[in-house]
Amino acid sequence: MKKIGLALSAGGARGLSQIVILEAFEELGIKPHLISGSSVGAVIGTAFASGMTANDMKDSVREIILKDHHKSKELFKGFDMVKILSLVDLTVNSGGLIKGEKFINFIDQKIKKKKFEELDIPVKIVTTEYWDRKEVIFESGELLKAIKASYSLPALFTPSKINKGLYLDGGLVNPLPFDILLDECDIVVGIDVLAKNSVNGNNAPSSLDTLFSSFQIMQNAILKEKLKSSTPDILIRTDIKGVRLFEFNKAEDIWKQSVKYKDELKSLLSAHL
């Protein structure tokens, strides 16, 4: 069998589409040789590598986001934010608004793995080191700190301290890390869920909406330049409509929009194998 590498991108709530797209591997009975991920792609990729199925991940999303009994206000004006204060731990002096410890503890309960070496599939998690301004890839040792680092979006989540380093969202330097798989895999699959446009509204965007949309513009620019020099063998580029960066509460709609991309990947994988 050919060694298949799978790269999952950053993308906020749109990243949930990758859960459905991963069903292509399950339905074809294919196990990736190696997975890489940035930000939400790192979370989903690690969950998949730990042995969780797509349905397991959907159930987890429903558990933390879609439960009706959570009664909370929007965290930020202009966002239809996730209604889960039980997973939010606010802070004011640690480099971000949310510590992120409660969410990473939830991930820990679901994946039940402590170290990279315990995963069913090897994983490369992309982060951004703050002091040196460079990409750092974690692929061994303690797993949860690397995951938290990879989704620590500036201004929202506090940076993750690992040894002497300070780490931020991997999407700042490599939003779709297919390039780090090319030398180790025969076929590399890249799933790009980055926002292709903004959601139009009647009012001017809030300051945070503008800030996070700027990150997405930057990520698209980075990926565009990367694709000029190299490309994955299979590239799935989604266009999930009507979803802002943090509208995880639209998970069911995201999954419905994602079925066609799963079918596209199944067809392309079958043609390459």
Side-chain angles (χ1 to χ4, degrees), residues 204-217:
S206 69
S207 57
L208 281 170
D209 205 344
T210 302
L211 173 64
F212 296 138
S213 291
S214 298
F215 288 145
Q216 294 175 89
I217 293 169

Side-chain angles (χ1 to χ4, degrees), residues 4-37:
I4 299 178
L6 172 63
L8 302 178
S9 79
R14 292 177 183 85
L16 296 179
S17 66
Q18 295 175 122
I19 296 174
V20 168
I21 297 170
L22 286 175
E23 291 176 351
F25 286 90
E26 296 177 343
E27 292 173 9
L28 291 173
I30 297 172
K31 181 178 179 179
H33 172 72
L34 182 60
I35 297 174
S36 65

Side-chain angles (χ1 to χ4, degrees), residues 53-72:
T53 66
N55 279 333
D56 291 336
M57 286 184 266
K58 287 180 182 178
D59 288 342
S60 295
V61 171
R62 293 182 179 109
E63 181 179 346
I64 64 173
I65 293 172
L66 303 179
K67 281 188 175 180
D68 294 332
H69 72 261
H70 287 295
K71 297 179 180 179
S72 60

